[in-house]
Amino acid sequence: MRFISLQRDGGCVVPGIVLRRDGVDVAVDVTHAANPPWCAALPADLLAWIETGLDALAARLDATAFADAACMPLAGATLAAPLPRPGKVVGAAFNFHDALRERGMPPPAAPVIFIKSGRTVIGPGQPVRLAADVGNVTYEAELGVVIGRTALRIDAAHAMDHVAGYLVVNDVSASDMVRADKAFVRGKSQPTFCPCGPWIATRDEVADPGALGVRLRLDGVSRQQGNTADLVFGIAELIAHASTQMPLDPGDIIATGTPAGVAIAHDPPAWLRPGSAMTAEVDGLGALHNPIVAEGKP
């Protein structure tokens, strides 16, 4: 099942799902008053749904007859980030073989991870805002993995049991800051630098997360074209390693790394500029569109 966060008129964000009806993807506001009474007892946000278990909830929601008033074409719905405020985003650097070859770097001996503030997250259609002093900024299309239950010092053999689902992440990064600091935190954690969405797909929706195309277009031009089969460290290895460094909690996101083709790899470099727009995609997980604007602009 595909889980979403819907933005109602007035800015209220409520959890929902995507269903296929008569050949059309439909967004369902599960909290709508016209739905069966049991829906009113559900928690009020998607993070709480993850904590209670998406798989069991999906089975029940799939069998529910939702009111027509609770449904709208997905194409006309306003979506927020599925998890507007995750506890944290754990990123993996240097984790695509093709990106390492592009940079002339050997693969790391162990996963290289960093923390990206959960407050950087924005949703589909929301703008990435560039402050004048951040320097050169790049896109980074990635497969995101949503943690479903707490993981602490687990091994790779059990890591996938802790996965709730998958989504698209665009790990926008201020390259000049990363280079100046020789560290990731400041350059990765600028406001609006983590577009996520458009939905969370449960594990049964993704046959093989280790064989998914990852793409990014900037102003309609293809800039990245990779596949998660090219990951240096796979999903289970990343989760296991991260869990030795910190607890992973329900709703945390693991950003698994980005393929070749980031901005500096192009001639001339394809740095993000106000007025541009980018689309990150992962096979089966939809397309995540975000415009770029200058800070302080609408």
Side-chain angles (χ1 to χ4, degrees), residues 165-295:
Y166 304 95
L167 77 169
V168 182
V169 172
N170 190 343
D171 177 23
V172 176
S173 305
S175 296
D176 287 358
M177 287 181 172
V178 171
R179 189 176 301 107
D181 296 347
K182 297 182 174 58
F184 295 105
V185 174
R186 186 167 66 116
K188 297 284 189 177
S189 288
Q190 296 298 301
T192 74
F193 272 25
C194 195
C196 291
W199 54 70
I200 297 171
T202 48
R203 290 176 297 175
D204 60 297
E205 294 268 341
V206 181
D208 184 0
L212 299 176
V214 180
R215 297 171 294 280
L216 187 132
R217 299 188 306 278
L218 180 63
D219 294 330
V221 177
S222 177
R223 295 298 188 179
Q224 290 184 288
Q225 186 87 25
N227 193 288
T228 57
D230 202 33
L231 290 174
V232 177
F233 299 100
I235 295 166
E237 293 170 286
L238 291 175
I239 293 172
H241 178 78
S243 81
T244 68
Q245 310 298 306
M246 71 200 90
L248 300 176
D249 299 311
D252 286 351
I253 297 171
I254 307 290
T256 57
T258 200
V262 295
I264 200 171
H266 298 279
D267 186 15
W271 302 118
L272 299 182
R273 296 285 183 257
S276 290
M278 54 188 170
T279 301
E281 296 178 88
V282 177
D283 286 349
L285 299 178
L288 179 61
H289 309 280
N290 296 94
I292 298 107
V293 301
E295 187 177 65

